[in-house]
Amino acid sequence: MSQSRHRLADVLALGPVIPVITINRLQDAVPLARALVAGGVRLLEITLRTPDGMAGAEAIIREVPDAVVGIGTVLTPADLHRSIEIGARFALSPGATPKLLDAAAAADIPFMPGVATASELMEAMIRGFDAVKFFPATAAGGLPYLKALAGPFPQARFCPTGGLTEENAADWLAQPNVVAVGGSWLTPATEIAAGQWDAITARAVRSRERLKGGAGG
Ligand code: 3PG
């Protein structure tokens, strides 16, 4: 576990922004990853929301060596083990079931469980996960909620996702307990469907610019 934790810190140091990516068509995966990497965004969360998610992640790992691929929407130990098999560098979940946390604590991959309550955070932290995804960040209570969690949990570090935008991501990253910010705003489905890779690169550059000065920025 402590090795995985160090590796998670190494991964997060490549941030601070993590696009949350949905692959609707397998052939979009590689050009999309290349567009993001060209814009300086190397950490990618490839979600398992769609049937092509895992295959898309595999293609990116094979063909875009500068991308650092994490698998998102990990719901079960099987999802986690498959992520390791394909060579993902990290994994994330929207939640923190005891079963998944136990599997992740025993597995050799940096993992960020998702938490939205103090109790979920406690379940994660007793197993050594002190860097977590805060999901759904905006709907769960936004910045005031995150600031409130900092009180009893000063050692916890968060990557908020859910409702963040290009405009407000910097406000989140300015919090001392936020190590990275994530979301789908970097990869609009319409631009992916239309193959507008230059627009995606331009937004990646812009987003990184706006986040300069925050964690890792
Ligand atoms: C996630 O899975 O992390 C979130 O659904 C991303 O939320 P967003 O689409 O509001 O950015």
Side-chain angles (χ1 to χ4, degrees), residues 20 45 49 133 135 161-164 183-185:
V20 175
E45 174 180 341
R49 293 175 189 196
K133 190 165 153 145
F135 174 81
T161 73
L164 274 66
S184 60
W185 87 86

Side-chain angles (χ1 to χ4, degrees), residues 18 20-22 45 47 49 72-73 92-94 133-138 159-165 182-186:
I18 308 178
V20 175
I21 296 171
T22 300
E45 174 180 341
T47 67
R49 293 175 189 196
T73 330
L92 313 97
S93 178
K133 190 165 153 145
F134 172 38
F135 174 81
T138 306
C159 173
T161 73
L164 274 66
T165 64
S184 60
W185 87 86
L186 287 127

Side-chain angles (χ1 to χ4, degrees), residues 3 5 9 15 17 29 41 54 56 95 106 123-124 140 148-149 152 191 205-206 213:
Q3 261 215 344
R5 196 185 311 176
V17 63
V41 170
M54 195 64 92
E123 288 287 345
L149 283 177
E191 289 180 11
V205 170
R206 219 164 53 227

Side-chain angles (χ1 to χ4, degrees), residues 147-171:
K147 286 180 189 170
L149 283 177
F153 303 107
Q155 66 279 55
R157 294 291 172 267
F158 298 92
C159 173
T161 73
L164 274 66
T165 64
E166 184 179 337
E167 287 71 33
N168 71 17
D171 297 338

Side-chain angles (χ1 to χ4, degrees), residues 76-196:
T76 63
D79 292 339
L80 189 71
H81 294 135
R82 183 77 188 116
S83 306
I84 296 170
E85 273 169 23
I86 69 158
R89 298 272 294 277
F90 61 111
L92 313 97
S93 178
T97 64
K99 199 170 169 184
L100 182 59
L101 290 170
D102 286 341
D108 184 24
I109 187 169
F111 178 66
M112 294 182 93
V115 310
T117 67
S119 296
E120 289 160 3
L121 182 56
M122 287 159 66
E123 288 287 345
M125 289 180 74
I126 54 172
R127 294 170 177 86
F129 299 104
D130 48 17
V132 300
K133 190 165 153 145
F134 172 38
F135 174 81
T138 306
L143 275 171
Y145 190 103
L146 186 73
K147 286 180 189 170
L149 283 177
F153 303 107
Q155 66 279 55
R157 294 291 172 267
F158 298 92
C159 173
T161 73
L164 274 66
T165 64
E166 184 179 337
E167 287 71 33
N168 71 17
D171 297 338
W172 286 92
L173 195 64
Q175 302 309 307
N177 58 354
V178 170
V179 284
V181 288
S184 60
W185 87 86
L186 287 127
T187 54
T190 47
E191 289 180 11
I192 299 175
Q196 291 169 343

